Amino acid sequence: MNVHLDPEDTTKSAPPAPAGTARFKSLHSETIALHGGSYRFDPTSGAVAVPIYQTTSYQLPGTDGADKLFALEAPGHLYTRVSNPTQDAFEQRLAELEGGAAALALGSGQAASAFAVLNLARAGDNIVSAAGLYGGTWALFAATLKNFGIETRFVDAGDPEAFARATDDRTRAYYAESLPNPKLEVFPIAEVAEIGKRYGIPLIVDNTAAPLIIRPLEHGAAVVVYSTTKYIGGHGTSIGGAIVEGSFPFGDYPARLPTLHEPDPSYQGKSWIEKAAAIDFLPYILRARAVLLRDIGAAVSPLNAFQFIQGLETLPLRLRQHNANAEIVADFLKKHPKVSNVIFPKFQSGTAKARADKYFKPGNYGALVGFELKGGREAGRRFIDALELFYHVANIGDARSLAIHPSTTTHSQLSAADQLATGVTPGYVRLSIGLEHPDDILADLQQAIAAA
Ligand code: PLP
């Protein structure tokens, strides 16, 4: 819930419902990134930058006011595990930038994926997920959620109807990454969202690798997940995550979505659909905060929320450079005689290319580039060891350029066959292209390939 200290004070508050929607709808991303959300300046000091509210708790109004706060009938903050004004400012701005209605910031991307699913699925339920997932999400679904009694049915994202075939009465959500690596084939968001509508199943899309350049909510996704650790933070300094709710009609599907429709004994026996309607707010985000964040924690720290606001402010600008640099790198690798294959959406063909053209903002293919050296595994290792500018890091979305050899690092615990199935060939190298001058990036690649 994007809660506010004082509903009468328009400098720091807005009615809960429109948070993230109306105020800047007609403005461009660059402008929303700097001005989105109801925060304008700090009313006590006039500070223009959002202050870091480094506090655990908040002075409650009188006992009547406190009753209302605890019952979620009045806006306000109680305890930073559940909400905080710096976090609130970040959530509002992110929701607005995403074209969503409300957001919840969390302590990591892993927490965001877990919350996104646990908000809908309980023991005995299942979700259907694209198989091409970040390894941490795969482990969460295949092992940890399985141990909670939630089954994940993994399907091939190349065939949207596979989601329908895997669906039964206990399917509560569809899940996918918009731009999964290593294959970098864009997920068919609209096609699977459409299938979801047949059954009342919301589609959750992890858009970590493609913020702003792929717009899942515009294509029918119900919820967007981020590891804000990557491009949103943008500088490799802070771990965080977020979920953003769009306009999916959660209220229309009582049998399909029991967590939102059944009475919750911890909130006066009302359902989350009813609770949200009573305060003109969004049921999915409201429950995620009031139930999961309350019970599981995984709160984002105020300092990290501040860092993510800083990141959002330059995100559109940074992404333009990330994407432009990545395309220069991909073009360079494509022509290099020692490179056998370049994995980059621009060079795809058939359905994968058609999807890239449909879902990416024109001319933006993201900043991840994969390639294979003709010398295979050993050449991949020598290449990594020869890099001077690139960092050898298991991360993406830093301002600095990063490289990794998945077969011997991130995917080393998979069998050779499983590695191949996920698209990791022995010589595959993944690059996350940063903001350095492209000539310097190319020079480092040139010398490292020569040494490989
Ligand atoms: N989703 C994707 C696509 C990721 O790449 C990652 C991390 O690499 C995560 C989720 C998990 O995010 P975090 O590391 O912030 O928990």
Side-chain angles (χ1 to χ4, degrees), residues 98-151:
E98 194 64 35
L104 175 66
L106 292 158
S108 69
Q110 283 299 100
S113 316
F115 275 42
V117 172
L118 291 173
N119 210 24
L120 297 168
R122 301 182 295 200
D125 294 337
N126 67 75
I127 64 166
V128 182
S129 174
L133 290 176
Y134 162 63
T137 314
W138 175 280
L140 169 71
F141 290 178
T144 302
L145 291 190
K146 186 176 171 207
N147 290 337
F148 286 8
I150 298 167
E151 179 199 355

Side-chain angles (χ1 to χ4, degrees), residues 59-372:
Q59 168 73 6
L60 297 171
T63 49
D64 284 351
D67 289 351
K68 288 202 171 62
L69 270 177
F70 275 90
L72 303 181
E73 285 162 4
H77 302 285
L78 295 168
Y79 191 58
T80 287
R81 174 161 23 89
V82 176
S83 72
N84 169 282
T86 314
Q87 172 188 355
D88 183 18
F90 169 53
E91 288 164 345
Q92 288 190 41
R93 206 175 291 184
L94 177 65
E96 212 155 282
L97 202 53
E98 194 64 35
L104 175 66
L106 292 158
S108 69
Q110 283 299 100
S113 316
F115 275 42
V117 172
L118 291 173
N119 210 24
L120 297 168
R122 301 182 295 200
D125 294 337
N126 67 75
I127 64 166
V128 182
S129 174
L133 290 176
Y134 162 63
T137 314
W138 175 280
L140 169 71
F141 290 178
T144 302
L145 291 190
K146 186 176 171 207
N147 290 337
F148 286 8
I150 298 167
E151 179 199 355
T152 301
R153 300 174 175 181
F154 293 104
V155 296
D156 175 4
D159 172 16
E161 281 298 326
F163 280 79
R165 290 195 296 275
T167 298
D168 67 15
D169 286 350
R170 299 293 296 267
T171 304
R172 305 296 179 214
Y174 293 158
Y175 194 99
E177 287 179 19
S178 57
L179 183 63
N181 72 77
K183 288 188 180 170
L184 301 179
E185 291 179 1
V186 179
F187 180 76
I189 302 169
E191 293 85 334
V192 175
E194 209 44 50
I195 293 168
K197 278 192 202 136
R198 277 185 222 157
Y199 305 101
I201 296 176
L203 169 64
I204 301 165
V205 176
D206 179 341
N207 201 35
T208 297
L212 295 180
I213 54 172
I214 295 180
R215 311 275 297 167
L217 298 180
E218 286 173 12
H219 296 288
V223 174
V224 174
V225 164
Y226 280 111
S227 163
T228 55
T229 312
K230 319 293 180 193
Y231 293 100
I232 290 177
H235 297 80
T237 60
S238 314
I239 298 281
I243 49 181
V244 184
E245 176 171 353
S247 56
F248 186 83
F250 288 98
D252 291 354
Y253 305 105
R256 177 64 69 183
L257 305 171
T259 59
L260 298 176
H261 284 267
E262 285 178 3
D264 185 331
S266 65
Y267 277 100
Q268 307 95 28
K270 295 212 172 88
S271 77
W272 290 100
I273 298 291
E274 288 171 309
K275 287 291 292 177
I279 56 168
D280 203 12
F281 200 71
L282 285 305
Y284 181 87
I285 289 293
L286 185 63
R287 183 185 187 275
R289 184 189 302 280
V291 176
L292 297 176
L293 198 51
R294 177 198 64 185
D295 297 351
I296 299 176
V300 67
S301 73
L303 175 59
N304 280 6
F306 170 83
Q307 301 281 20
F308 296 134
I309 294 170
Q310 292 292 100
L312 279 188
E313 294 191 348
T314 55
L315 181 66
L317 184 65
R318 284 186 289 106
L319 282 178
R320 270 203 291 279
Q321 196 62 42
H322 275 294
N323 295 339
N325 281 357
E327 192 166 356
I328 291 169
V329 165
D331 288 340
F332 161 82
L333 293 170
K334 188 86 182 153
K335 291 192 214 109
H336 200 290
K338 287 177 91 171
V339 172
S340 59
N341 188 19
V342 180
I343 297 100
F344 190 62
K346 178 179 171 180
F347 302 136
Q348 286 161 352
S349 57
T351 313
K353 181 63 168 44
R355 288 192 183 132
D357 291 341
K358 174 173 175 178
Y359 288 107
F360 277 120
K361 260 175 96 177
N364 290 270
Y365 296 105
L368 301 179
V369 182
F371 73 101
E372 286 170 75

